[in-house]
Amino acid sequence: MGKTTAQEQQFLVSCLAGLAKRPARYAFDAKESADNPPSLPAASRPFALGPAKPTNDLDEAATFGITVKLLKGAAAPVAIAGLTPFTAVDALKAKVAALFKQDVDTVRLVFKGRAVSGAGKTLDDFGIKQGVIVHLMITAAAASTKSVTEKVNFADVAARVGCSKQFWSQIEDVVKGYFDGNKESEDKVMNAFISSFSGLLTDKDAAANVKKHARK
């Protein structure tokens, strides 16, 4: 095929420019008004069109009520409303504890022979729904850490420590290592420590035993 001449090239350019100026035509008018938007034919729709249904969590998880009955005791059963399948077990225990005036740590719930408990568990996990009866057990409160620590007599512990040769040996090693052979500084720190330590003791004999370690 030979080379195109200048005239042929000019002809092609003019044809392309003319085509570019022609308006494009589509199957539907893209400028239809917002009041009358284009839509697919009814036969091609995968489902019927209709107004959007408002979503509401309570529509999908309607609230319901249950009855809580004390397993042992004379207390009357208590009705609890406003629950959903997604109510946390811990939240139900808190409501029960408040209604029965108990500490939440003493509340044990049982439904159909199964303990209702577990972090992150919901009522739906145990099949608890409208109208069921959940049984309540009240257990003894666990001993608090505070009551245990209050029984420890600090003076007795300090007295036992003060009688330990290993304790004083370790203290002297620490002081020597810190002052690196400066005996005067070692003596001052050791005597100050011994004076403070003996002042914590209520037993005179134990305090006297501690003072024996004083430097002269």
Side-chain angles (χ1 to χ4, degrees):
M1 184 176 181
K3 296 181 179 181
T4 57
T5 64
Q7 290 181 345
E8 291 173 336
Q9 291 179 358
Q10 186 174 2
F11 174 75
L12 290 173
V13 170
S14 63
C15 286
L16 292 173
L19 289 173
K21 293 179 180 179
R22 295 179 63 181
R25 294 175 177 266
Y26 302 95
F28 61 88
D29 189 355
K31 294 183 179 180
E32 293 187 55
S33 66
D35 296 333
N36 187 25
S39 60
L40 295 173
S44 66
R45 297 171 189 162
F47 50 83
L49 296 179
K53 183 180 178 180
T55 59
N56 190 327
D57 292 340
L58 294 181
D59 291 339
E60 298 179 0
T63 59
F64 60 82
I66 65 172
T67 300
V68 177
K69 186 177 181 180
L70 191 62
L71 199 59
K72 293 182 179 180
V78 173
I80 299 180
L83 304 174
T84 76
F86 309 109
T87 298
V89 167
D90 289 341
L92 175 60
K93 288 179 65 176
K95 288 187 177 186
V96 172
L99 290 171
F100 282 86
K101 298 180 180 180
Q102 298 290 331
D103 185 5
V104 69
D105 292 334
T106 67
V107 171
R108 299 291 182 269
L109 300 178
V110 179
F111 180 61
K112 293 184 177 180
R114 183 184 177 191
V116 181
S117 62
K121 295 287 188 178
T122 66
L123 302 190
D124 188 58
D125 293 325
F126 297 89
I128 296 175
K129 56 185 69 175
Q130 170 64 33
V132 302
I133 296 176
V134 176
H135 289 95
L136 166 65
M137 296 176 60
I138 305 297
T139 62
S144 65
T145 305
K146 182 179 179 181
S147 62
V148 173
T149 55
E150 284 177 347
K151 296 179 182 179
V152 177
N153 190 320
F154 177 78
D156 291 343
V157 175
R160 289 196 298 271
V161 171
C163 294
S164 170
K165 293 181 179 180
Q166 183 181 4
F167 171 75
W168 290 109
S169 177
Q170 291 174 343
I171 292 295
E172 289 179 356
D173 289 343
V174 171
V175 173
K176 286 179 180 179
Y178 186 82
F179 290 104
D180 194 20
N182 188 334
K183 192 173 184 309
E184 183 180 356
S185 297
E186 290 177 17
D187 292 345
K188 286 183 179 179
V189 171
M190 282 298 298
N191 288 337
F193 177 78
I194 291 168
S195 177
S196 299
F197 193 95
S198 61
L200 298 174
L201 304 176
T202 55
D203 185 89
K204 293 182 179 180
D205 293 335
N209 185 56
V210 170
K211 291 179 181 179
K212 290 179 182 179
H213 297 277
R215 302 286 184 88
K216 296 182 180 180

Short mmCIF file of all heavy atoms in Angstrom, two decimals, residues 60-86:
data_model
loop_
_atom_site.label_atom_id
_atom_site.label_comp_id
_atom_site.label_asym_id
_atom_site.label_seq_id
_atom_site.Cartn_x
_atom_site.Cartn_y
_atom_site.Cartn_z
N GLU A 60 -36.18 -6.09 65.55
CA GLU A 60 -35.50 -7.36 65.37
C GLU A 60 -35.29 -8.07 66.71
O GLU A 60 -35.15 -9.28 66.76
CB GLU A 60 -34.15 -7.12 64.70
CG GLU A 60 -34.28 -6.50 63.31
CD GLU A 60 -32.93 -6.25 62.67
OE1 GLU A 60 -31.91 -6.56 63.32
OE2 GLU A 60 -32.88 -5.76 61.54
N ALA A 61 -35.21 -7.34 67.78
CA ALA A 61 -35.00 -7.93 69.10
C ALA A 61 -35.99 -7.32 70.08
O ALA A 61 -35.67 -6.45 70.86
CB ALA A 61 -33.57 -7.69 69.57
N ALA A 62 -37.26 -7.75 69.97
CA ALA A 62 -38.31 -7.19 70.81
C ALA A 62 -38.03 -7.51 72.27
O ALA A 62 -37.52 -8.58 72.60
CB ALA A 62 -39.66 -7.76 70.39
N THR A 63 -38.35 -6.57 73.14
CA THR A 63 -38.11 -6.78 74.56
C THR A 63 -39.09 -7.80 75.13
O THR A 63 -40.20 -7.98 74.60
CB THR A 63 -38.24 -5.46 75.33
OG1 THR A 63 -39.56 -4.94 75.13
CG2 THR A 63 -37.21 -4.46 74.84
N PHE A 64 -38.68 -8.46 76.18
CA PHE A 64 -39.54 -9.45 76.82
C PHE A 64 -39.25 -9.46 78.32
O PHE A 64 -38.36 -8.77 78.80
CB PHE A 64 -39.34 -10.85 76.23
CG PHE A 64 -37.94 -11.38 76.36
CD1 PHE A 64 -37.51 -11.99 77.52
CD2 PHE A 64 -37.06 -11.28 75.30
CE1 PHE A 64 -36.22 -12.49 77.64
CE2 PHE A 64 -35.76 -11.77 75.40
CZ PHE A 64 -35.34 -12.38 76.58
N GLY A 65 -40.03 -10.24 79.05
CA GLY A 65 -39.87 -10.31 80.50
C GLY A 65 -39.73 -11.75 80.97
O GLY A 65 -40.18 -12.69 80.32
N ILE A 66 -39.08 -11.91 82.12
CA ILE A 66 -38.92 -13.23 82.73
C ILE A 66 -39.25 -13.13 84.21
O ILE A 66 -39.43 -12.03 84.74
CB ILE A 66 -37.48 -13.78 82.56
CG1 ILE A 66 -36.49 -12.88 83.33
CG2 ILE A 66 -37.09 -13.87 81.09
CD1 ILE A 66 -35.07 -13.45 83.38
N THR A 67 -39.29 -14.27 84.87
CA THR A 67 -39.51 -14.32 86.31
C THR A 67 -38.29 -14.94 86.97
O THR A 67 -37.79 -15.98 86.51
CB THR A 67 -40.76 -15.14 86.65
OG1 THR A 67 -41.90 -14.54 86.03
CG2 THR A 67 -40.98 -15.19 88.15
N VAL A 68 -37.81 -14.31 88.03
CA VAL A 68 -36.68 -14.83 88.79
C VAL A 68 -37.20 -15.31 90.14
O VAL A 68 -37.82 -14.55 90.88
CB VAL A 68 -35.59 -13.76 88.98
CG1 VAL A 68 -34.44 -14.31 89.83
CG2 VAL A 68 -35.05 -13.29 87.63
N LYS A 69 -36.94 -16.56 90.43
CA LYS A 69 -37.46 -17.18 91.65
C LYS A 69 -36.31 -17.70 92.49
O LYS A 69 -35.43 -18.39 92.01
CB LYS A 69 -38.40 -18.34 91.26
CG LYS A 69 -39.11 -18.97 92.44
CD LYS A 69 -40.07 -20.04 91.95
CE LYS A 69 -40.82 -20.69 93.11
NZ LYS A 69 -41.75 -21.74 92.64
N LEU A 70 -36.32 -17.34 93.78
CA LEU A 70 -35.29 -17.78 94.71
C LEU A 70 -35.41 -19.29 94.91
O LEU A 70 -36.49 -19.80 95.23
CB LEU A 70 -35.43 -17.04 96.04
CG LEU A 70 -34.28 -17.20 97.04
CD1 LEU A 70 -32.98 -16.66 96.46
CD2 LEU A 70 -34.62 -16.48 98.34
N LEU A 71 -34.31 -20.01 94.72
CA LEU A 71 -34.34 -21.47 94.81
C LEU A 71 -34.59 -21.93 96.23
O LEU A 71 -35.34 -22.88 96.47
CB LEU A 71 -33.01 -22.04 94.30
CG LEU A 71 -33.00 -23.51 93.90
CD1 LEU A 71 -34.02 -23.79 92.81
CD2 LEU A 71 -31.62 -23.94 93.45
N LYS A 72 -33.96 -21.27 97.20
CA LYS A 72 -34.17 -21.59 98.61
C LYS A 72 -34.44 -20.30 99.36
O LYS A 72 -33.63 -19.39 99.36
CB LYS A 72 -32.94 -22.28 99.19
CG LYS A 72 -32.68 -23.67 98.64
CD LYS A 72 -31.47 -24.31 99.30
CE LYS A 72 -31.22 -25.72 98.76
NZ LYS A 72 -30.04 -26.35 99.40
N GLY A 73 -35.57 -20.22 100.01
CA GLY A 73 -35.91 -19.02 100.74
C GLY A 73 -37.36 -18.65 100.55
O GLY A 73 -38.07 -19.22 99.71
N ALA A 74 -37.79 -17.68 101.32
CA ALA A 74 -39.20 -17.29 101.32
C ALA A 74 -39.48 -16.06 100.46
O ALA A 74 -40.61 -15.59 100.41
CB ALA A 74 -39.67 -17.03 102.75
N ALA A 75 -38.49 -15.52 99.81
CA ALA A 75 -38.69 -14.31 99.02
C ALA A 75 -39.61 -14.59 97.84
O ALA A 75 -39.54 -15.65 97.21
CB ALA A 75 -37.34 -13.78 98.52
N ALA A 76 -40.48 -13.64 97.55
CA ALA A 76 -41.43 -13.79 96.45
C ALA A 76 -40.71 -13.67 95.11
O ALA A 76 -39.71 -12.97 94.99
CB ALA A 76 -42.51 -12.72 96.56
N PRO A 77 -41.22 -14.39 94.09
CA PRO A 77 -40.64 -14.27 92.75
C PRO A 77 -40.69 -12.83 92.26
O PRO A 77 -41.59 -12.06 92.61
CB PRO A 77 -41.52 -15.18 91.89
CG PRO A 77 -42.12 -16.15 92.87
CD PRO A 77 -42.32 -15.36 94.14
N VAL A 78 -39.73 -12.45 91.43
CA VAL A 78 -39.64 -11.07 90.92
C VAL A 78 -39.68 -11.11 89.40
O VAL A 78 -38.99 -11.92 88.77
CB VAL A 78 -38.34 -10.40 91.40
CG1 VAL A 78 -38.16 -9.05 90.73
CG2 VAL A 78 -38.35 -10.24 92.91
N ALA A 79 -40.50 -10.24 88.83
CA ALA A 79 -40.59 -10.12 87.37
C ALA A 79 -39.58 -9.08 86.88
O ALA A 79 -39.45 -8.00 87.47
CB ALA A 79 -42.00 -9.73 86.95
N ILE A 80 -38.87 -9.40 85.82
CA ILE A 80 -37.90 -8.48 85.22
C ILE A 80 -38.27 -8.30 83.75
O ILE A 80 -38.33 -9.27 83.00
CB ILE A 80 -36.46 -9.01 85.34
CG1 ILE A 80 -36.08 -9.15 86.81
CG2 ILE A 80 -35.48 -8.10 84.63
CD1 ILE A 80 -34.67 -9.68 87.03
N ALA A 81 -38.53 -7.06 83.35
CA ALA A 81 -38.92 -6.76 81.98
C ALA A 81 -37.80 -5.98 81.28
O ALA A 81 -36.77 -5.66 81.86
CB ALA A 81 -40.22 -5.94 81.98
N GLY A 82 -38.05 -5.69 80.01
CA GLY A 82 -37.10 -4.88 79.24
C GLY A 82 -35.86 -5.62 78.79
O GLY A 82 -34.84 -5.01 78.51
N LEU A 83 -35.95 -6.95 78.71
CA LEU A 83 -34.80 -7.75 78.27
C LEU A 83 -34.88 -8.03 76.78
O LEU A 83 -35.96 -7.97 76.18
CB LEU A 83 -34.75 -9.07 79.04
CG LEU A 83 -34.72 -8.97 80.57
CD1 LEU A 83 -34.82 -10.36 81.19
CD2 LEU A 83 -33.45 -8.27 81.04
N THR A 84 -33.75 -8.36 76.18
CA THR A 84 -33.70 -8.78 74.78
C THR A 84 -32.81 -10.01 74.69
O THR A 84 -32.08 -10.32 75.64
CB THR A 84 -33.11 -7.67 73.87
OG1 THR A 84 -31.68 -7.63 74.05
CG2 THR A 84 -33.71 -6.32 74.19
N PRO A 85 -32.85 -10.72 73.56
CA PRO A 85 -31.96 -11.87 73.42
C PRO A 85 -30.48 -11.51 73.55
O PRO A 85 -29.65 -12.36 73.85
CB PRO A 85 -32.27 -12.39 72.01
CG PRO A 85 -33.66 -11.93 71.74
CD PRO A 85 -33.76 -10.61 72.41
N PHE A 86 -30.17 -10.22 73.31
CA PHE A 86 -28.78 -9.78 73.34
C PHE A 86 -28.39 -9.14 74.67
O PHE A 86 -27.28 -8.63 74.81
CB PHE A 86 -28.52 -8.79 72.20
CG PHE A 86 -28.98 -9.32 70.87
CD1 PHE A 86 -30.09 -8.77 70.24
CD2 PHE A 86 -28.34 -10.39 70.28
CE1 PHE A 86 -30.53 -9.27 69.02
CE2 PHE A 86 -28.77 -10.89 69.06
CZ PHE A 86 -29.87 -10.33 68.43
#
